[in-house]
Amino acid sequence: MYRLGIDLGGTNIVAGVVDENYKILATAKRKTNCPRPVEAIVSDMAAVALEAVERAGLKIEDIEAAGVGSPGAINPVDGVVCFSNNLDFHDVPLAKMLKAKVGIDFYLENDANAAAYGEYIAGAGKEANSFIMITLGTGVGGGVIIDGKLFSGSNYAGAEMGHIVIDFNGEMCGCGRRGCWEAYASATALIRQTKKAMQENRDSIMWKLVDNNIEKVSGRTAFDAMRRNDKAGKEVVDNYIRYLGIGLTDHINIFQPDIVCIGGGVSKEGDNIIVPLKKFVAKENYARDVEKQTLIRTAALGNDAGIIGAAYICDLYK
């Protein structure tokens, strides 16, 4: 049994053939090259899909099911990208268009939801019944799974976890509100916080780490400085983890899932994030005196989660 998953992003289109054990047998990749016409992007998606199948030594007739994880507001029932600002998609019948080019049915889901489902079935959440994945990148994304089903609300736009407000008069968020969790806990926010600390602490080792070029600051800069006992770097990390912990605790208080996993580039810090997060949540969690507690861990599949989740997303909608 073979499945096909496509991870459609604003930068890359990646397709992979996945077997029944959730192992990726072969992949193919092209640049998305946004902005450009929808038809051109869909043509490249079809080409990448067929290339991945060929690299796996298979024919398209060998593929039992196929799916796509796409950014934006998705209607998975009709297979339509209602809106994606990254791709400039508006009411695009993506599943239908891909079927016309590849010859098999495609299922469609939001990319963060697809990645969450991939981690749920094959990664950090595979022994869970209820599961939350939070991805720390340009924004804060993720997915919520309850009783084995993705939660997306009555209009498929639910579980926008980055847009709970943690500071009513806080930083402006890209969504138009102030104080969203995304404005404090994303990798973008961490970089902004690091730059601010550097400007206020000219003697910080963080300047040396970026060759005195503040534009070289990354999500690792403050953590690297902390490891060298830099006071300013440690303050950035401590504050960032506090911001991360506030939103994480809010989600645990609402859902009390079996497992929460943290993904995205920042999660590669591992115990430097997970250990203090656990301490924060243990103190702040409303159900802290209940015997069973939510497990907090890092994501296990990395970039493969989106492909695996997309390949198996059809199981939710058959």
Side-chain angles (χ1 to χ4, degrees):
M1 181 179 74
Y2 303 103
R3 306 271 186 109
L4 175 67
I6 302 177
D7 188 1
L8 172 62
T11 303
N12 295 307
I13 303 165
V14 186
V17 175
V18 186
D19 69 12
E20 60 188 2
N21 297 311
Y22 309 123
K23 180 182 177 181
I24 297 178
L25 303 180
T27 62
K29 178 179 177 180
R30 290 191 185 185
K31 292 292 184 181
T32 313
N33 291 325
C34 291
R36 58 180 173 140
V38 171
E39 182 67 29
I41 293 176
V42 176
S43 292
D44 274 356
M45 291 176 69
V48 167
L50 292 170
E51 183 180 345
V53 172
E54 183 180 357
R55 287 184 177 183
L58 302 171
K59 297 179 180 179
I60 198 63
E61 293 80 9
D62 298 318
I63 303 300
E64 179 189 42
V68 179
S70 169
I74 307 298
N75 179 339
V77 175
D78 296 330
V80 173
V81 181
C82 302
F83 171 68
S84 175
N85 62 303
N86 290 338
L87 301 172
D88 196 24
F89 279 10
H90 301 268
D91 293 320
V92 174
L94 187 57
K96 182 179 179 180
M97 293 175 73
L98 281 169
K99 180 179 181 179
K101 291 181 178 296
V102 180
I104 58 175
D105 289 331
F106 276 83
Y107 291 80
L108 185 61
E109 186 52 85
N110 171 267
D111 55 350
N113 283 346
Y117 191 62
E119 285 286 348
Y120 172 69
I121 61 175
K126 60 186 178 182
E127 72 268 33
N129 182 51
S130 56
F131 173 72
I132 293 176
M133 179 177 178
I134 293 166
T135 304
L136 308 174
T138 304
V140 173
V144 176
I145 295 171
I146 302 173
D147 294 332
K149 300 292 184 181
L150 273 168
F151 174 80
S152 57
S154 62
N155 59 355
Y156 314 114
E160 282 292 342
M161 294 179 286
H163 300 290
I164 60 168
V165 171
I166 65 171
D167 185 347
F168 184 76
N169 294 309
E171 298 281 353
M172 180 62 71
C173 179
C175 76
R177 301 176 79 194
R178 285 194 175 274
C180 286
W181 191 30
E182 179 172 294
Y184 291 87
S186 63
T188 304
L190 174 57
I191 291 170
R192 187 187 68 247
Q193 293 155 14
T194 302
K195 289 180 176 180
K196 183 175 184 292
M198 289 171 62
Q199 290 167 340
E200 294 172 351
N201 297 271
R202 292 287 174 175
D203 59 344
S204 169
I205 198 172
M206 289 188 283
W207 285 102
K208 183 178 180 181
L209 292 174
V210 298
D211 300 323
N212 289 313
N213 183 354
I214 201 167
E215 297 308 315
K216 290 185 177 181
V217 169
S218 71
R220 293 187 55 185
T221 303
F223 284 92
D224 288 342
M226 177 194 69
R227 282 186 278 271
R228 299 192 185 193
N229 299 313
D230 182 76
K231 181 180 177 182
K234 185 178 185 305
E235 287 181 355
V236 171
V237 171
D238 288 347
N239 286 330
Y240 177 74
I241 288 172
R242 180 169 60 88
Y243 294 137
L244 188 55
I246 291 170
L248 184 62
T249 304
D250 287 345
H251 284 93
I252 290 174
N253 283 344
I254 295 168
F255 295 102
Q256 293 295 338
D258 297 314
I259 297 171
V260 170
C261 86
I262 310 294
V266 180
S267 71
K268 294 179 182 178
E269 287 293 335
D271 285 349
N272 288 322
I273 283 182
I274 298 300
V275 171
L277 265 183
K278 288 180 177 179
K279 291 180 179 178
F280 185 98
V281 172
K283 180 180 177 182
E284 300 290 331
N285 177 17
Y286 179 79
R288 55 188 173 274
D289 295 326
V290 176
E291 182 178 356
K292 183 178 180 181
Q293 294 291 310
T294 296
L295 300 177
I296 302 171
R297 56 180 59 158
T298 53
L301 300 179
N303 293 332
D304 291 346
I307 294 173
I308 295 170
Y312 276 82
I313 207 72
C314 67
D315 291 349
L316 295 174
Y317 301 107
K318 279 183 176 180

